[in-house]
């Protein structure tokens, strides 16, 4: 009788340990999945803002940066003529289109950069741009950029 009791106790202890270990693995997998999902969502929105900010900083000269119709326009001139870089949202993607200034704007022609739910650019004050974006499934994030070319 004592042998059966010892065996049942050991078996019960093993089952409790196995169930606890399995539960811990399931909980850990859920936490990992949530962390990865959150990181991916933050990546899209923040990467879009960082990309746009870097483009503005690279080309912030001679008052060539402007915002209109939720679109960023960066105009540059060289010996070959005048070119405009458009950064905008179209059909769920942040897109960019680099073309000669005199050619008409075609939203479909832009290269897809990142998936975004919304993208907007507005001029808050003279030389101050507010850039906002919403990545897939995340809250809106904004960035304020002061244009150095507005000072000159």
């Amino acid at each position: 009788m004592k042998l059966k009791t010892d065996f049942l106790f050991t078996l019960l202890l093993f089952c409790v340990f196995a169930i606890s270990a399995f539960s811990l693995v399931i909980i850990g997998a859920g936490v990992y999945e949530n962390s990865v999902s959150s990181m991916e969502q933050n990546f899209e929105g923040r990467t879009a803002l960082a990309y746009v900010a870097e483009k503005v900083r690279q080309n912030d000269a001679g008052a060539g940066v402007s915002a209109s119709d939720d679109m960023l326009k960066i105009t540059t001139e060289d010996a070959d003529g005048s070119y405009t870089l458009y950064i905008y949202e179209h059909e769920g993607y942040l897109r960019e289109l680099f073309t000669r200034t005199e050619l008409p704007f075609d939203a479909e022609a832009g290269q897809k950069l990142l998936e975004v739910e919304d993208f907007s650019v507005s001029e808050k004050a003279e030389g101050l741009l507010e850039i906002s974006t919403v990545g897939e499934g995340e809250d809106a994030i904004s960035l304020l950029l002061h244009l150095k070319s507005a000072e000159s």
Side-chain angles (χ1 to χ4, degrees), residues 53-71:
E54 189 59 32
K55 284 292 187 181
V56 169
R57 289 181 185 121
Q58 287 174 351
N59 298 290
D60 187 14
V65 179
S66 63
S68 65
D69 301 326
D70 285 335
M71 179 184 315

Side-chain angles (χ1 to χ4, degrees), residues 111-126:
Q111 180 181 2
K112 294 177 183 177
L113 300 174
L114 289 167
E115 279 189 72
V116 293
E117 290 180 8
D118 188 33
F119 176 78
S120 64
V121 180
S122 60
E123 193 166 349
K124 289 296 185 189
E126 182 67 30

Side-chain angles (χ1 to χ4, degrees), residues 42-93:
N42 284 334
F43 171 79
E44 290 170 354
R46 294 185 193 285
T47 301
L49 285 181
Y51 177 80
V52 173
E54 189 59 32
K55 284 292 187 181
V56 169
R57 289 181 185 121
Q58 287 174 351
N59 298 290
D60 187 14
V65 179
S66 63
S68 65
D69 301 326
D70 285 335
M71 179 184 315
L72 184 67
K73 296 178 186 175
I74 301 172
T75 304
T76 56
E77 300 210 15
D78 64 11
D80 295 333
S82 178
Y83 295 91
T84 301
L85 173 68
Y86 300 95
I87 300 177
Y88 57 98
E89 184 272 330
H90 182 67
E91 294 181 347
Y93 286 93

Side-chain angles (χ1 to χ4, degrees), residues 45 81 85 89 94 97 108:
L85 173 68
E89 184 272 330
L94 181 66
L97 175 64
E108 290 289 329

